[in-house]
């Protein structure tokens, strides 16, 4: 059965070691991995480049990966710089809010009666503000300067250019190539064949053009995958290690909120095109295996930083749908399903529900935090009433989700106790 349904089977750790050390292995980094290098410290970035340098001759890059890197590079640079700018702004805003609460709140009359106390408090706040300013100048501004490739020469791109030289796949030669892929992609997405079907809705109205070829953004992941399949087909018997931080279900199979491995359709299809083995890994897993099998000796702190920098949230600030959508107003997330606790008869039923609600809670909390910390100038064009409605919606549903999670936890405890009692009775 394994030979007929190999896409459903995983790979042992020993086999992973063999793949990483084989000269017949192709390493492919997705565009999101290249862009991650703009979001981390210079030392961390250099350690990743060291690994890349050591396997450079075995690396290959689909043309679509490089095109997406080039198209998104400046936006990632700007986003990284803007994110750093928010830190001192947020700290200063918090200090001002605290000062208002202290001097204009319920303690105002008491403080006003003690001039020395008021002076001492002002001195404390002044010291804190000076510390923040000094920290911003010596640490935040330095980091901003190091990644501000909107004004300075992009040394990261120089390094990427060097490491990808001669290792990039060919571009589509005519519009028909992309048009045919679009038609196939539409059918694949209908039947949930990865990758890319999770992007279909969000990118359906996004289009772009490069070198005389017109592209539909919703099929971007499929363009990459089709180019990988074509390349693997020209090198039958090769192993493929594809490193990407796209954790959606069109790439990975998930159950109980945990990734169990690559989507079966990917493994089945790439093997059909001639690959001996296929590994789909995020940057965290790749670096740990590089340590184990390539003698990379990457510190855990470096792995953690690259992993954090690589996280691509569905609720990233840039993708939060603040803008009005025609006459429908804001596009709200899917509503929370009502849970009938009495219908849950065993613990196994709880896990997927609990995981879904926990993920949704984290997403809502992240989005609300992004709204609360967004610079005022980025919100000026928005309708205030709509934004407040959005915040109210998120706050309400965060509270609702917390209550649901508490109820699910209590139900889980009840079922565990009931099972324990039943087991005792059976033993007697």
């Amino acid at each position: 059965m394994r030979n007929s349904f190999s896409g459903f089977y995983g790979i042992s750790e020993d086999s992973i070691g063999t793949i990483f050390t084989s000269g017949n292995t192709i390493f492919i980094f997705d565009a999101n991995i290249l862009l991650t290098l703009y979001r981390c410290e210079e030392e961390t970035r250099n350690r990743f480049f060291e690994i890349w340098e050591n396997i450079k001759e075995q690396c290959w890059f689909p043309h679509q990966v490089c095109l997406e890197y080039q198209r998104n590079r400046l936006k990632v640079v700007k986003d990284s710089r803007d994110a750093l700018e928010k830190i001192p702004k947020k700290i200063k805003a918090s200090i001002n809010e605290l000062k208002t609460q202290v001097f204009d709140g319920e303690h105002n009359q008491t403080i006003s009666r003690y001039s020395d106390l008021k002076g001492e408090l002002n001195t404390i706040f002044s010291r804190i503000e000076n510390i923040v300013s000094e920290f911003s100048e010596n640490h935040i501004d330095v980091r901003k300067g190091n990644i501000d490739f909107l004004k300075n020469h992009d040394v990261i791109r120089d390094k990427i250019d060097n490491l990808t030289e001669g290792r990039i796949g060919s571009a589509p030669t005519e519009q028909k190539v992309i048009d045919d892929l679009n038609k196939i992609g539409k059918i694949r997405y209908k039947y949930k064949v990865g990758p890319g079907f999770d992007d279909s809705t969000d990118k359906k109205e996004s289009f772009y053009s490069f070198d005389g070829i017109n592209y539909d953004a919703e099929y971007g992941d499929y363009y990459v995958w089709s180019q990988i399949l074509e390349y693997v087909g020209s090198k039958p018997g090769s192993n493929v290690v594809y490193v990407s931080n796209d954790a959606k279900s069109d790439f990975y199979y998930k159950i109980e909120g945990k990734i169990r491995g690559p989507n079966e359709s990917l493994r089945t299809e790439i093997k059909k095109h001639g690959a001996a083995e296929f590994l789909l890994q995020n940057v965290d897993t790749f670096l740990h295996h590089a340590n184990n099998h390539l003698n990379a000796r990457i510190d855990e702190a470096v792995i953690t930083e690259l992993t954090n920098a690589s996280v691509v949230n569905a609720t990233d600030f840039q993708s939060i749908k603040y803008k009005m959508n025609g006459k429908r107003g804001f596009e709200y997330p899917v509503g929370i399903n009502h849970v009938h606790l009495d219908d849950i008869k065993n613990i196994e039923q709880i896990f997927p529900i609990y995981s879904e609600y926990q993920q949704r809670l984290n997403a809502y909390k992240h989005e609300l935090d992004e709204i609360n910390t967004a610079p005022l100038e980025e919100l000026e064009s928005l309708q205030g009433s709509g934004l407040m409605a959005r915040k109210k919606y998120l706050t309400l549903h965060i509270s609702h989700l917390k209550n649901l999670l508490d109820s699910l936890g209590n139900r889980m405890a009840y079922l565990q106790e009931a099972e324990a009692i039943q087991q005792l009775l059976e033993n007697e």
Side-chain angles (χ1 to χ4, degrees):
M1 183 177 286
R2 187 185 185 101
N3 291 333
S4 299
F5 300 94
S6 61
F8 288 95
Y9 291 81
I11 303 175
S12 68
E13 187 62 36
D14 289 342
S15 297
I16 291 175
T18 301
I19 292 170
F20 263 71
T21 55
S22 171
N24 201 33
T25 295
I26 303 165
F27 292 92
I28 302 171
F29 298 140
D30 203 356
N32 52 49
I33 299 296
L34 306 185
L35 294 170
T36 290
L37 299 175
Y38 289 88
R39 302 187 181 103
C40 58
E41 300 281 9
E42 182 178 3
E43 178 61 26
T44 300
R45 180 167 58 245
N46 289 339
R47 297 307 306 277
F48 185 88
F49 278 138
E50 288 175 11
I51 298 176
W52 188 350
E53 188 78 49
N54 290 335
I55 60 173
K56 179 176 69 172
E57 298 304 317
Q58 293 177 253
C59 289
W60 178 81
F61 298 87
H63 179 271
Q64 185 67 27
V65 162
C66 299
L67 175 57
E68 291 182 5
Y69 159 73
Q70 296 288 0
R71 292 184 64 246
N72 290 284
R73 180 182 67 90
L74 292 180
K75 180 180 181 299
V76 170
V77 170
K78 181 182 182 301
D79 289 349
S80 298
R81 185 192 64 182
D82 292 349
L84 283 170
E85 287 180 348
K86 289 180 182 179
I87 295 175
K89 288 181 180 179
K90 176 61 177 176
I91 295 174
K92 290 176 180 178
S94 298
I95 294 172
N96 289 331
E97 182 179 351
L98 179 59
K99 286 172 67 176
T100 300
Q101 291 177 358
V102 170
F103 292 120
D104 297 336
E106 60 180 307
H107 306 297
N108 179 44
Q109 290 185 351
T110 302
I111 293 173
S112 298
R113 290 198 293 267
Y114 298 92
S115 57
D116 287 347
L117 176 59
K118 187 173 183 179
E120 290 167 356
L121 288 171
N122 275 319
T123 299
I124 290 175
F125 282 121
S126 294
R127 287 177 181 173
I128 295 174
E129 289 169 348
N130 289 335
I131 291 172
V132 172
S133 296
E134 184 178 343
F135 176 81
S136 178
E137 182 178 345
N138 295 335
H139 297 276
I140 301 298
D141 288 349
V142 171
R143 284 175 169 83
K144 282 167 48 183
N146 287 339
I147 63 169
D148 194 356
F149 303 119
L150 299 177
K151 298 178 181 178
N152 305 318
H153 182 69
D154 188 347
V155 295
I156 299 177
R157 184 162 65 166
D158 286 347
K159 187 67 175 178
I160 292 175
D161 285 347
N162 177 261
L163 290 170
T164 56
E165 182 65 31
R167 316 210 65 80
I168 301 174
S170 58
T173 55
E174 57 181 344
Q175 184 64 47
K176 185 178 184 302
V177 174
I178 294 299
D179 291 343
D180 289 345
L181 288 176
N182 292 346
K183 293 176 183 177
I184 298 172
K186 184 176 182 179
I187 298 173
R188 290 171 66 99
Y189 289 8
K190 176 182 177 180
Y191 292 99
K192 303 298 181 184
V193 178
F197 58 78
D198 271 350
D199 289 335
S200 181
T201 301
D202 291 341
K203 298 181 179 179
K204 203 169 189 65
E205 300 302 321
S206 180
F207 311 97
Y208 58 92
S209 180
F210 171 73
D211 197 21
I213 305 292
N214 301 318
Y215 298 84
D216 289 25
E218 67 172 310
Y219 299 115
D221 286 339
Y222 177 52
Y223 297 155
V224 172
W225 183 244
S226 67
Q227 291 171 10
I228 291 175
L229 295 178
E230 182 178 359
Y231 184 71
V232 170
S234 69
K235 296 183 177 297
S238 298
N239 304 308
V240 178
V241 177
Y242 184 25
V243 188
S244 174
N245 287 313
D246 197 327
K248 298 190 296 296
S249 60
D250 56 355
F251 273 93
Y252 288 98
Y253 174 67
K254 300 179 183 180
I255 190 168
E256 294 182 356
K258 294 182 179 180
I259 291 175
R260 299 297 179 180
N263 191 309
E264 170 274 323
S265 64
L266 302 185
R267 286 177 53 80
T268 298
E269 187 170 25
I270 199 167
K271 285 192 169 188
K272 187 176 180 180
H273 278 74
E277 283 295 355
F278 173 66
L279 293 179
L280 177 64
Q281 300 187 328
N282 59 29
V283 71
D284 182 323
T285 306
F286 170 74
L287 292 174
H288 278 105
H289 283 134
N291 271 348
N292 293 336
H293 309 300
L294 300 177
N295 298 316
R297 298 179 181 178
I298 301 293
D299 292 339
E300 196 64 34
V302 171
I303 295 177
T304 299
E305 185 184 342
L306 277 168
T307 301
N308 291 338
S310 299
V311 173
V312 181
N313 282 302
T315 53
D316 183 86
F317 177 72
Q318 297 299 328
S319 67
I320 293 176
K321 297 177 180 177
Y322 290 138
K323 294 183 179 180
M324 301 300 286
N325 183 22
K327 296 181 179 180
R328 290 183 291 138
F330 288 104
E331 293 185 354
Y332 292 100
V334 177
I336 299 170
N337 299 325
H338 184 66
V339 178
H340 297 280
L341 294 179
D342 292 339
D343 293 339
I344 300 176
K345 303 301 183 183
N346 59 69
I347 295 174
E348 287 71 21
Q349 289 178 275
I350 292 180
F351 289 126
I353 301 172
Y354 193 96
S355 175
E356 177 189 347
Y357 287 165
Q358 185 63 61
Q359 290 181 28
R360 195 174 298 183
L361 174 62
N362 293 338
Y364 286 5
K365 289 168 67 176
H366 177 83
E367 181 175 353
L368 183 61
D369 183 61
E370 291 289 357
I371 294 175
N372 289 333
T373 59
L376 181 61
E377 59 269 20
E378 293 188 25
L379 304 176
E380 286 179 346
S381 61
L382 305 173
Q383 293 187 15
S385 59
L387 183 61
M388 292 306 296
R390 180 67 163 183
K391 292 177 66 173
K392 183 177 180 180
Y393 176 93
L394 291 170
T395 302
L396 175 65
H397 282 70
I398 286 172
S399 176
H400 188 188
L401 280 167
K402 287 180 178 178
N403 291 335
L404 278 174
L405 289 169
D406 286 342
S407 298
L408 287 169
N410 292 335
R411 182 64 175 174
M412 187 183 301
Y414 166 79
L415 291 172
Q416 288 173 331
E417 184 176 352
E419 286 183 7
I421 294 172
Q422 182 63 33
Q423 187 63 49
L424 286 172
L425 293 174
E426 291 176 359
N427 292 338
E428 291 178 357

